[in-house]
Amino acid sequence: MGKANEQAKDKPSLLNRWLNGIEKVGNKLPHPISIFAILVLFVIVLSAVCEMAGVSATGELVNRSKGVVETQTVQAVSLLNGEGLVYMLTHAITNFTGFAPLGVVLVAMFGIGLLEDSGLIGGALKSAVEVTPAKLITPMIVFLGVMSNLADAVGYIVLIPIAALMFMAYNRHPVVGMAAAFAGVSGGFSANLLIGTLDPLLCGITNEAVKMVDPTYVVEPTGNWYFMMVSTFLITILGTIITEKVVAPRFGEYHGNGEENETSSEYKLNDQERKALKVAGLTLLVMILVLVAFCLPANSVMRAEDGTLLGNSPFMEGIIPIITVLFFVPSVVYGHMTGVYHGEKDVCNAMGRAMGTMSSYIALTFVAAQFINFFGYTKLGTILALKGAEFFRNSGIGTIPTMILFVLFAAFINLFMGSASAKWALIAPVFVPMFMLLGYTPEFAQVAYRIGDSCTNVITPMMSYFAMIIVFMKKYDKEAGIGTLVSTMLPYSICFLIGWSILLVLWIVLNLPLGPGVGMFLG
């Protein structure tokens, strides 16, 4: 029996008591929808109080009518008067329908939703694990975990149990394989080589916050792409080191518990799936080649007026519909060949199911959109940004300490509030304008947030799949509980936080672009 098993039998440690406290507090928090509804009421009342108190701030802002930067004095505006009431009633719908993340996320889900519904992403994961040599199984599991974020829950539901079986097949402890997969899926949540649903979701919220300072600035879904591509390899390397040097020695050899009745057959590809995967892959390759051929000519309509393809071009502005089509068509091909889809009605029903999974997000979007827009209308966000920028400017602590503090702040609040989009919608209206006033791009603030938000996913009971992972672990370790999972994943969390922060510091020092045509500093 491994040390982790022995530890689970001991009385709750100080760490476990602290984590149990976090779980207890977090479970008492209202639903994110309720949280934003409460915040809307709070902003309404606060706006009236601040207007009566004459709260204001002065700073350099973009004049929306003139399109130039000039010194402006911003005063709080009340929502508890006639004009405020009219604004809330007449803008409730447009605040919702005009909320930037809504459209792009829903469009992306048509492709990503079918990627999961058809079984294509699950088949791809199974195939990748099947052909991986024993020496490369750990880095491959972590890497696939990071990449599986394209399809939301697939990494949790498919890859983690596959990883356990694969490690057991190589005479290694299955919980170690689960830990490696969980580290990639959840700890590396923001990293990826491709653009997924999280990118347009976060950048849409960022764009709403940007309007408070500069309505002409637009954040694209590719704004963090370069940084997140490099982060994918960083998380893979760090996850592999922690798995092999820290986690595996703790669990030692696995001798079974005598109750493993299931076989690994459900996690292996059959001949039909294997053939379908090859055809779907060939379809994707042909589509990519056609896209490349279409974009290569210097006079391609996909290029900007200056001839560039990356940056502010039709190609980059249409990246979400392009990715949606690239996912959609191979998914239909795979689903048809495996018998999941028998005709266009099945595909249409699958599209409906993909939208059905977004119902809670749509409900959250409605109240979050009101909160962000009310925050902008009342000028409270701008005032806080101006005051905060002045504080940081006068403190003279510099770019690196400022961003590291923000990373740690995001990592801390993630322990209590699991939804990445809900947290960003909550803090972006303050921090994005504040950092812009300090001379940092919105993409810079966004990437710092994503680092902190990802690193503590693996140790917070507030993460939606946390309980499910414990259930998976109990199959191989009867004594497994919250303490077992957290103690196993804590080294990953700490290592990712330190390593990712170091990468951010290097990025700052070298002044590298975060994405196509996107730097860290304004001007």
Side-chain angles (χ1 to χ4, degrees):
M1 180 178 293
K3 295 180 180 178
N5 295 3
E6 297 173 4
Q7 179 181 342
K9 294 181 178 180
D10 296 338
K11 293 182 179 180
S13 64
L14 178 62
L15 173 63
N16 286 344
R17 291 197 298 270
W18 175 66
L19 292 167
N20 289 339
I22 291 177
E23 181 184 24
K24 185 176 180 180
V25 171
N27 287 337
K28 290 183 177 180
L29 289 175
H31 191 280
I33 295 176
S34 299
I35 291 176
F36 276 100
I38 293 170
L39 288 172
V40 166
L41 295 176
F42 177 73
V43 168
I44 293 173
V45 174
L46 182 63
S47 68
V49 173
C50 289
E51 184 184 65
M52 287 189 294
V55 174
S56 65
T58 301
E60 298 291 325
L61 298 172
V62 174
N63 187 308
R64 298 195 179 201
S65 59
K66 299 179 181 179
V68 296
V69 177
E70 61 183 21
T71 301
Q72 300 179 43
T73 297
V74 180
Q75 296 182 328
V77 178
S78 175
L79 283 166
L80 278 180
N81 54 32
E83 291 183 0
L85 178 60
V86 169
Y87 169 81
M88 289 187 286
L89 291 175
T90 59
H91 287 74
I93 295 176
T94 54
N95 285 346
F96 172 53
T97 58
F99 194 55
L102 183 62
V104 290
V105 172
L106 294 183
V107 169
M109 279 305 298
F110 283 126
I112 294 175
L114 259 70
L115 197 67
E116 181 175 0
D117 185 87
S118 67
L120 176 55
I121 185 66
L125 290 176
K126 294 175 187 177
S127 176
V129 172
E130 279 185 3
V131 300
T132 303
K135 292 182 178 181
L136 298 178
I137 190 65
T138 299
M140 179 57 75
I141 289 292
V142 179
F143 175 76
L144 290 176
V146 176
M147 295 300 295
S148 71
N149 294 320
L150 283 170
D152 193 25
V154 170
Y156 295 101
I157 298 172
V158 176
L159 181 62
I160 290 178
I162 287 178
L165 292 170
M166 289 303 297
F167 265 62
M168 195 158 54
Y170 288 120
N171 296 317
R172 302 188 62 184
H173 203 295
V175 172
V176 177
M178 293 175 63
F182 188 31
V185 175
S186 197
F189 179 65
S190 273
N192 213 293
L193 297 180
L194 302 174
I195 302 298
T197 52
L198 184 64
D199 296 277
L201 175 60
L202 294 184
C203 88
I205 296 172
T206 305
N207 276 321
E208 295 293 328
V210 166
K211 295 176 183 177
M212 298 180 190
V213 176
D214 185 357
T216 65
Y217 196 104
V218 178
V219 177
E220 299 291 346
T222 54
N224 297 151
W225 196 4
Y226 294 164
F227 185 86
M228 289 308 167
M229 288 175 68
V230 175
S231 297
T232 301
F233 299 106
L234 174 70
I235 294 301
T236 300
I237 294 170
L238 295 179
T240 300
I241 293 173
I242 294 298
T243 300
E244 298 297 343
K245 301 299 183 181
V246 179
V247 177
R250 290 186 66 244
F251 284 87
E253 297 181 359
Y254 182 69
H255 303 290
N257 57 21
E259 296 184 5
E260 294 90 340
N261 298 317
E262 292 118 336
T263 66
S264 60
S265 59
E266 62 178 306
Y267 298 117
K268 291 184 178 180
L269 290 171
N270 56 41
D271 293 338
Q272 185 182 25
E273 291 172 332
R274 209 178 303 278
K275 181 179 179 181
L277 187 61
K278 290 180 180 179
V279 176
L282 181 61
T283 301
L284 177 61
L285 177 61
V286 171
M287 294 176 67
I288 292 175
L289 292 176
V290 171
L291 178 62
V292 170
F294 191 64
C295 293
L296 278 179
N299 61 346
S300 171
V301 296
M302 301 300 287
R303 294 180 177 271
E305 293 182 0
D306 60 0
T308 58
L309 184 63
L310 301 180
N312 189 22
S313 66
F315 174 75
M316 297 309 299
E317 291 177 359
I319 192 68
I320 296 303
I322 291 172
I323 291 175
T324 298
V325 174
L326 290 176
F327 287 161
F328 183 90
V329 176
S331 296
V332 173
V333 171
Y334 183 88
H336 175 72
M337 293 189 65
T338 55
V340 176
Y341 305 142
H342 299 285
E344 50 85 19
K345 290 183 179 180
D346 290 337
V347 175
C348 292
N349 289 334
M351 294 172 67
R353 287 193 294 272
M355 290 299 101
T357 62
M358 301 302 293
S359 57
S360 60
Y361 166 73
I362 294 173
L364 174 63
T365 293
F366 178 79
V367 286
Q370 307 309 320
F371 167 72
I372 291 177
N373 281 279
F374 286 5
F375 215 49
Y377 175 86
T378 60
K379 306 300 181 183
L380 295 179
T382 305
I383 292 171
L384 280 173
L386 288 169
K387 296 289 187 181
E390 182 181 5
F391 169 78
F392 277 103
R393 194 177 295 114
N394 292 336
S395 68
I397 64 173
T399 300
I400 293 176
T402 297
M403 284 303 173
I404 295 301
L405 286 174
F406 185 52
V407 168
L408 294 175
F409 172 73
F412 176 73
I413 63 171
N414 189 48
L415 294 173
F416 302 92
M417 190 175 183
S419 172
S421 59
K423 287 193 299 294
W424 190 229
L426 181 64
I427 66 177
V430 175
F431 285 96
V432 169
M434 180 190 303
F435 288 141
M436 289 182 71
L437 293 169
L438 289 171
Y440 308 140
T441 62
E443 292 88 349
F444 194 9
Q446 183 177 280
V447 84
Y449 166 75
R450 294 175 72 170
I451 293 172
D453 176 67
S454 296
C455 292
T456 49
N457 274 337
V458 293
I459 60 171
T460 172
M462 296 304 101
M463 200 276 295
S464 55
Y465 293 97
F466 196 85
M468 185 185 75
I469 305 303
I470 294 177
V471 173
F472 284 162
M473 290 182 67
K474 281 183 174 293
K475 177 181 176 182
Y476 307 104
D477 182 356
K478 292 181 180 180
E479 304 298 326
I482 291 178
T484 308
L485 180 54
V486 172
S487 63
T488 300
M489 302 310 299
L490 189 59
Y492 292 104
S493 183
I494 295 173
C495 185
F496 287 177
L497 187 60
I498 295 174
W500 227 339
S501 297
I502 292 174
L503 178 64
L504 182 64
V505 171
L506 290 174
W507 219 272
I508 295 171
V509 172
L510 298 175
N511 196 19
L512 300 174
L514 295 170
V518 177
M520 290 174 285
F521 305 98
L522 294 170

